[in-house]
Amino acid sequence: MYRLPAEYYDVIVGQGDPLNCAEKPGRAFKELARLLRPGGVMVMAVDNRLQGIYHYFKDGDIHGLEEFLRTGRTRWVTDDESERYALTMFTPGQLRAMCRQQGLEFLGIIGKTVLPLRRFRDLLADPEKRDRLMRMEESLNHEEAMFANAAHLEFAAKKPAES
């Protein structure tokens, strides 16, 4: 097996929720931290565990909800059963803890998107309304009280520079 050299990258970007799909996301995150140079920055997007609870309520699956809240493990929900796959969803606190465990400085987090724009796409057709909504989104997406509305969380962390 090929192993990338330690402290090789100045920047690591993980969009498309790669940690969610990892069989062992904690181990995957540890490996990413190992690859980051001192002073390097990591920006990652993950699925928001707070959004995952609705599926269990919709199905009335209280046992499944308890297990999901305990582990964060679930299956991607699609109409086509063959397209479902295992994934892990995260909370802001878990992301902070993962960074702390790997010695990374947690720089910040945002919710994407915190306004219910997917449910009201017709509002985005009007350029003036779209611009106003985008300004509102940008002013609110860092407020953790709004994260329950966000499908994704995006966070940044930095490996401390060598002293």
Side-chain angles (χ1 to χ4, degrees):
M1 178 173 110
Y2 179 75
R3 186 169 164 101
L4 293 169
E7 300 182 344
Y8 188 75
Y9 296 102
D10 290 315
V11 176
I12 295 175
V13 178
Q15 298 297 306
D17 314 325
L19 286 178
N20 297 101
C21 298
E23 185 176 329
K24 296 181 180 177
R27 191 163 102 190
F29 189 77
K30 182 178 180 179
E31 178 65 8
L32 291 171
R34 182 188 75 80
L35 296 172
L36 198 59
R37 279 191 182 141
V41 174
M42 177 187 310
V43 178
M44 302 292 292
V46 297
D47 285 330
N48 181 6
R49 188 180 300 187
L50 297 172
Q51 280 291 303
I53 65 173
Y54 298 105
H55 165 72
Y56 295 96
F57 276 93
K58 186 181 89 177
D59 290 349
D61 184 2
I62 303 305
H63 173 74
L65 175 63
E66 286 174 326
E67 183 69 11
F68 172 67
L69 290 173
R70 187 177 65 73
T71 67
R73 296 292 293 166
T74 190
R75 293 185 57 74
W76 183 250
V77 179
T78 65
D79 292 334
D80 184 347
E81 182 71 33
S82 70
E83 293 177 355
R84 295 184 182 187
Y85 55 90
L87 72 144
T88 304
M89 298 175 88
F90 299 92
T91 66
Q94 288 176 303
L95 300 174
R96 283 187 181 87
M98 286 170 51
C99 289
R100 195 171 40 253
Q101 289 167 355
Q102 298 309 316
L104 301 178
E105 176 188 353
F106 192 83
L107 298 176
I109 186 169
I110 63 169
K112 297 181 352 184
T113 58
V114 298
L115 294 176
L117 300 175
R118 286 184 181 191
R119 286 184 230 145
F120 302 98
R121 289 177 194 232
D122 54 318
L123 292 173
L124 300 175
D126 178 314
E128 191 265 332
K129 287 179 182 177
R130 182 181 57 241
D131 290 346
R132 289 172 64 193
L133 287 165
M134 290 300 105
R135 283 193 300 277
M136 286 183 245
E137 176 68 30
E138 288 174 351
S139 74
L140 295 171
N141 67 10
H142 63 282
E143 297 288 340
E144 289 198 31
M146 300 294 289
F147 288 0
N149 294 330
H152 298 88
L153 302 171
E154 184 169 275
F155 70 99
K158 181 177 182 178
K159 187 175 237 180
E162 295 176 306
S163 47

